[in-house]
Amino acid sequence: MSNENHQTSHGKALTATIIVIALILVGGFTYELGRRHALGNAKTASTSQHALKRVGILQYVSHPALDQIHKGVVDELKKEGFVEGKNIQIFDQNGQADQSKLATMSEQLVNKKSDVLVGIATPAAQALANATTTTPIVLGAVTDPVAAGLVHDMKAPGKNITGVSDQPPVAAEIKLGKQLIPQAKTVGMLYASTEVNSKSQVETASKAAEALGLKVEKFPVPSTNEIAQTVQVMSDKCDFIYTPLDNTIANAMPTVTEEANKKGRPVINSVDTMVKQGGLATIGVNQYQLGIQTGKMAAQILKGKGKPATMPVYTFSTGDTIINKEQAQHFGITIPADLQKNAKLVTTEVGQQ
Ligand code: TRP
């Protein structure tokens, strides 16, 4: 019995000790929890006050069209309330048409923990897509995002990529060429063999030309170096030249104009900027507007109002008819009355050259 009592008193002491320890532990833990909670709140408040959203822009190369798109993107972000240095940080890169630069720059933009990446022109968008499968990418003017392997479905992209496609009204452009140069029998396609965007557009354009009874000759150039000579050669074989939304050709448009003018061959383009550099005509999408639309989509993602996977790729259904009246005169072309009325007449702008 005494033994039992002894044990009980020991047991009581032990229980009391355990209770005291438990109380200390619980109290301390509760205190620590409260402290952490307060700290946590302070930390969240300070980061959200100073956090700058990060946007990485990768432009393939500089030519007037892409420069206008770039301006549209930045202007629209500002309009949507994203002011540089205040609540947004923009990392700007230009790949200067160099594949290895594009790859390195894409890595850098991803490593900077950009919230949104914008790829202007197909090769830039492809480089970004190779660098990340998670950071949202907005396509700035990619002609054919499916052919470029960037999205599976234009309406439901499904992954981290969406944006703006600048697919122009190709058949209408060829028809415009036929209308301005009615005696034409052969059209020559001038484009870079390296640009997937051009390949797909040239296919569509060739079908449209053949449907109008024109013969098609294709002249893919391996690089800028071959452009002058190719224009000379093709001018002997074709009645007019057609250029798709090709970055290499856009970059060298003054050379194209110079050679084609010498040979008396008009050039039908896919964008107004190239008509202002001496092309004859186009039905094109306004490049600045393309940039605005790209900026809108980037802003939507930054605001958490949309995710690329479920944002359809934006396409334009109309374009403006643009004719270079100076060039029409140079080739002795009379602009038909309906076009005189409905088209926008421009002249070659030296600043664009
Ligand atoms: N669509 C082109 C691409 O996918 C880029 C582009 C936009 C472009 N506007 C242009 C190319 C004007 C030539 C001219 O790469």
Side-chain angles (χ1 to χ4, degrees):
M1 200 60 178
S2 74
N3 202 15
E4 248 179 39
N5 274 341
H6 181 75
Q7 270 187 358
T8 311
S9 73
H10 258 290
K12 274 185 186 160
L14 194 67
T15 313
T17 314
I18 288 172
I19 287 172
V20 169
I21 291 174
L23 278 177
I24 290 171
L25 277 179
V26 169
F29 184 65
T30 316
Y31 170 79
E32 181 60 20
L33 258 189
R35 202 176 68 92
R36 283 202 195 166
H37 188 66
L39 268 183
N41 278 350
K43 206 171 158 208
T44 319
S46 78
T47 39
S48 65
Q49 252 172 29
H50 300 291
L52 299 181
K53 292 273 185 195
R54 297 177 166 199
V55 177
I57 305 179
L58 182 61
Q59 181 172 328
Y60 174 47
V61 68
S62 281
H63 61 69
L66 297 192
D67 293 347
Q68 283 185 22
I69 294 168
H70 183 277
K71 187 169 187 310
V73 173
V74 176
D75 285 358
E76 182 59 23
L77 281 172
K78 205 182 285 169
K79 210 176 139 218
E80 299 267 352
F82 293 105
V83 181
E84 240 208 299
K86 204 173 136 208
N87 55 354
I88 197 179
Q89 206 173 355
I90 297 179
F91 300 104
D92 240 324
Q93 299 279 17
N94 188 314
Q96 293 161 345
D98 181 326
Q99 288 300 337
S100 74
K101 271 194 189 143
L102 288 167
T104 319
M105 288 171 174
S106 296
E107 293 287 337
Q108 284 169 353
L109 292 175
V110 171
N111 289 341
K112 287 214 189 289
K113 304 253 177 295
S114 297
D115 296 289
V116 169
L117 296 164
V118 176
I120 301 178
T122 301
Q126 284 175 324
L128 288 175
N130 280 338
T132 178
T133 53
T134 50
T135 308
I137 298 175
V138 180
L139 309 173
V142 167
T143 310
D144 190 339
V146 175
L150 292 162
V151 302
H152 288 300
D153 183 339
M154 297 279 275
K155 294 210 174 79
K159 288 198 235 155
N160 63 324
I161 307 175
T162 188
V164 177
S165 159
D166 56 345
Q167 189 92 59
V170 178
E173 288 171 349
I174 301 281
K175 210 169 140 205
L176 178 65
K178 188 92 193 341
Q179 201 179 352
L180 288 170
I181 313 141
Q183 75 284 6
K185 293 197 167 46
T186 307
V187 51
M189 306 281 171
L190 176 66
Y191 59 105
S193 55
T194 50
E195 291 192 36
V196 57
N197 37 298
S198 302
K199 268 186 224 156
S200 93
Q201 197 189 328
V202 163
E203 285 317 309
T204 321
S206 301
K207 283 194 195 108
E210 277 157 7
L212 287 173
L214 288 164
K215 193 170 165 248
V216 175
E217 296 242 20
K218 292 180 188 157
F219 294 89
V221 292
S223 76
T224 315
N225 299 337
E226 293 79 17
I227 291 177
Q229 205 209 341
T230 305
V231 173
Q232 290 162 13
V233 170
M234 71 193 293
S235 293
D236 293 334
K237 297 182 176 171
C238 314
D239 301 298
F240 72 92
I241 296 168
Y242 177 81
T243 67
L245 288 172
D246 186 289
N247 297 289
T248 311
I249 305 298
N251 202 15
M253 188 57 194
T255 309
V256 175
T257 302
E258 197 184 320
E259 298 304 327
N261 273 357
K262 277 192 223 155
K263 294 274 189 177
R265 290 291 174 263
V267 184
I268 298 294
N269 304 108
S270 302
V271 60
D272 58 350
T273 48
M274 287 166 85
V275 176
K276 288 180 188 158
Q277 287 179 300
L280 175 63
T282 190
I283 303 174
V285 180
N286 182 281
Q287 301 297 294
Y288 185 69
Q289 284 306 322
L290 274 177
I292 297 270
Q293 184 56 34
T294 308
K296 270 200 173 74
M297 294 179 84
Q300 211 177 334
I301 294 169
L302 283 175
K303 289 177 184 174
K305 288 187 182 164
K307 283 199 164 54
T310 49
M311 288 164 79
V313 174
Y314 189 96
T315 51
F316 290 80
S317 51
T318 53
D320 306 319
T321 305
I322 317 274
I323 301 173
N324 186 324
K325 59 180 180 192
E326 212 175 292
Q327 285 292 72
Q329 209 170 9
H330 174 83
F331 297 116
I333 292 168
T334 322
I335 303 168
D338 63 323
L339 285 177
Q340 282 274 7
K341 220 170 76 189
N342 300 320
K344 186 176 165 209
L345 302 181
V346 299
T347 52
T348 305
E349 289 175 14
V350 181
Q352 295 263 354
Q353 298 247 3

